[in-house]
Amino acid sequence: MKSNLLENIHSPIDLRQLDEAQLPQLAQELRDFIINIVATKEGHLGASLGVVELTIALHYVFNTPEDLLVWDVGHQAYGHKILTERRAVFHTNRQLGGISGFPKRSESIYDTFGVGHSSTSISAALGMAIASNLKGDFEKQHIAIIGDASIASGMAFEGLNHAGVTDANLLVILNDNAIGIDPSVGALKKYLTSVKQGKNPRQNNMIRSLNFDYSGPIDGNDIYAVIKELKRLQKIKGPKFLHIITTKGKGLQQAEENQVKYHAPGKFDANTGEIIIKSEENLPPKYQDVFGLTLLDLAKKNEKIVGITPAMPSGSSLKFMMEAFPKRAFDVGIAEQHAVTLSAGMATQGLIVYCNIYSTFLQRAYDQVIHDVALQNLPVIFCLDRAGLVGEDGATHHGVFDLAYLRCIPNLIVYAPLNEIELQNILHTAQLGLNHPIAIRYPRGRGVTKNWERLHLGKYETIEIGKAKLLQSGAKVAILSTGAIGNNVTLALSKIQPPENFAHYDFAFVKPLDENELHTIFSQFETIITIEDGVIKGGFGNGILEFAATYRYNSKIQLLGIPDEFIEQGSIDELQQYCGISVESLEIIFSSY
């Protein structure tokens, strides 16, 4: 029986003591380790399985951490974490108090750059390489590992464009598996496919034309071939580009055959690969499906409707419309800036554009929202999925800044539905014709309405823009909530005695605020509590403070929401508890009044 190699490897120093002939065994052990942990703890699976050989080879050939590895996005960095002093704690991955699911500088010296959003690796590694040159160090290696979906993003091309006119000691490794989370799209994907198939003439190589020393494509799951090429490239100065072909989900048959589902499959049987199905019977719908199914229903009735997503057709559920109306629904790849301005261009021609972007990724297109949409007052409908705390993906993915960064933009309507009924109604209202752009933000996960699709889909009410709703009458304290976090307020108030002390208002419109209702509230209540699942600084509660200051109201105002810090990973319940906006936290706060 072979001895276990992985259990004796605590760092790359130990790895480099092995004979090259032992590395295939180590690769199998590393794959098994990742599969066994992720099967029970959940996380991103397919990407890390695909780069096991590359990960081992990088740490075997290069002198990490002195040589610098920059992983793009970081979905694929589990093997890297396990080989760099975190094997013993890897079971805490993505859990509260555990290690992050993404590379993180404060976690390890081997994590040279914090990532979680795509296409940053080339720019970051180039910055490091230039810094090394300026410090007189021309031997240090700087390696960016980027996928074929991420390299199609504009920022990656900006990095390549700059790197090609430098003498930076930079190696870009393209991990080409033809898939990001969903399958890669676009002309670049077709170009890479032709290169892999040998149909593209060598003199037509676009990477060489950018002054990179290009090599490949090679089999990225052949550890000997990868090591041989890395050792050769180690001796070449200047910008280099290695094209490797890998299989996402390598080593687990189901993950290879269904790469979308096994990107982050949830819990599964480590031996068979079969996903452990959670019963969805009698559960409320996912907000993403409310969006996707409602948009499909609206699109059937209104031929002017189009849908756009930057590389999230499954996660946003735009896939429903893409399947039914492939010429009216577009996956533009990891290109948030392009998605927003493309939407603006379509809107100038009278189309009704639903641009679906995760809240955390709209940050990447902030100038386009201001300059290309709001400044021109184009009625683009932004649908911001995963708003608020998203759970285990942690600080890089929480959609907690949108209310603050959108509220300050002129012409923009900002709406946060209390539940899925309100989400479908605002989606309906928006396509009737608004005079302004609108951002509709809704959370990850499930709503509150069972049998929503059967009972409610297609049955719409038009929402009055800028109108707040009284959900519960009360005499002592007014609670003002925005969005789905208002359901926590409702649950907390149901446990409070006497309930008639508290009034609860749903301010779905963060902009424009219902000032008529606010005048009534401030004239009736001496104490006002605001609650949001966004940052307190600059958010909804700040809007209420601004109103009070403008009209010189003296009511006591308490703001509840996300504190002024980056919130780490954990379950949504745990993180809401930490931020003081869970049902239990609110019950304690309300009971003090």
Side-chain angles (χ1 to χ4, degrees), residues 313-377:
S314 296
S316 71
S317 290
L318 188 67
K319 62 183 180 181
F320 298 129
M321 186 178 175
M322 290 175 71
E323 290 166 0
F325 300 106
K327 292 185 177 179
R328 291 167 54 195
F330 306 90
D331 175 3
V332 301
I334 302 176
E336 293 86 0
Q337 295 177 331
H338 168 62
V340 171
T341 305
L342 179 71
S343 300
M346 289 180 168
T348 67
Q349 302 305 302
L351 294 182
I352 300 167
V353 189
Y354 289 79
C355 182
N356 188 298
I357 300 181
Y358 290 8
S359 170
T360 188
F361 297 141
L362 187 65
Q363 297 160 189
R364 296 161 64 95
Y366 192 52
D367 180 62
Q368 286 69 29
V369 174
I370 294 173
H371 182 270
D372 299 340
V373 177
L375 179 61
Q376 304 184 80
N377 205 20

Side-chain angles (χ1 to χ4, degrees), residues 5 54 84 405:
L5 300 174
L54 174 64
T84 55
Y405 72 67

Side-chain angles (χ1 to χ4, degrees), residues 160-168 210-212 239:
L160 288 171
N161 182 55
H162 182 194
V165 294
T166 72
D167 59 356
L210 293 172
N211 296 326
F212 278 76

Side-chain angles (χ1 to χ4, degrees), residues 439-458:
I440 304 164
R441 54 104 68 183
Y442 48 93
R444 180 182 185 226
R446 296 185 180 276
V448 295
T449 311
K450 293 181 181 179
N451 299 313
W452 164 82
E453 187 175 352
R454 179 171 59 84
L455 297 175
H456 298 282
L457 179 60

Side-chain angles (χ1 to χ4, degrees), residues 403 407 477-483 485-486 489 502-507 510 513 518 521-522 527-548 555-562 579-581 586 589-590 593:
L403 293 179
R407 197 173 66 82
V477 177
I479 302 167
L480 282 52
S481 66
T482 184
I485 198 69
V489 176
F502 296 91
H504 180 199
Y505 294 84
D506 172 33
F507 274 77
V510 173
L513 284 170
L518 284 174
I521 292 168
F522 275 89
T527 301
I528 293 165
I529 300 172
T530 71
I531 178 168
E532 57 201 295
D533 60 347
V535 290
I536 293 172
K537 300 285 187 184
F540 164 65
N542 254 250
I544 303 303
L545 286 177
E546 291 162 11
F547 173 86
S555 304
K556 177 187 175 185
I557 304 173
Q558 180 177 0
L559 309 187
L560 300 177
I562 310 302
C579 294
I581 56 175
L586 295 177
I589 292 168
F590 298 160
Y593 285 94

Side-chain angles (χ1 to χ4, degrees), residues 187-306:
L188 184 62
K189 183 257 180 93
K190 291 184 178 181
Y191 166 79
L192 292 172
T193 299
S194 71
V195 171
K196 286 185 283 189
Q197 294 174 345
K199 295 177 181 177
N200 199 280
R202 296 181 68 85
Q203 63 271 24
N204 192 34
N205 187 292
M206 64 182 295
I207 304 300
R208 279 201 185 93
S209 69
L210 293 172
N211 296 326
F212 278 76
D213 183 306
Y214 173 91
S215 60
I218 66 170
D219 182 355
N221 295 124
D222 180 342
I223 196 163
Y224 298 123
V226 175
I227 287 175
K228 180 180 178 182
E229 187 57 20
L230 290 180
K231 286 181 175 179
R232 186 186 74 83
L233 291 169
Q234 196 177 25
K235 300 167 187 169
I236 297 173
K237 300 299 183 184
K240 305 168 287 288
F241 191 102
L242 173 59
H243 184 177
I244 69 170
I245 301 167
T246 62
T247 300
K248 189 170 183 178
K250 179 76 172 176
L252 186 66
Q253 184 177 349
Q254 288 89 339
E256 292 185 31
E257 294 173 352
N258 195 333
Q259 295 174 333
V260 174
K261 184 179 288 187
Y262 281 81
H263 172 75
K267 293 182 180 180
F268 62 95
D269 186 304
N271 294 317
T272 67
E274 291 298 317
I275 293 175
I276 298 170
I277 303 297
K278 299 176 185 175
S279 174
E280 297 191 359
E281 199 171 342
N282 294 319
L283 288 177
K286 293 179 180 178
Y287 277 98
Q288 67 189 57
D289 289 341
V290 175
F291 161 79
L293 293 169
T294 300
L295 184 62
L296 175 59
D297 183 64
L298 294 171
K300 289 176 180 176
K301 302 166 185 173
N302 187 340
E303 63 182 16
K304 290 185 177 181
I305 288 176
V306 295

Side-chain angles (χ1 to χ4, degrees), residues 580-591:
I581 56 175
S582 66
V583 174
E584 295 77 11
S585 302
L586 295 177
E587 186 181 353
I588 293 169
I589 292 168
F590 298 160
S591 297

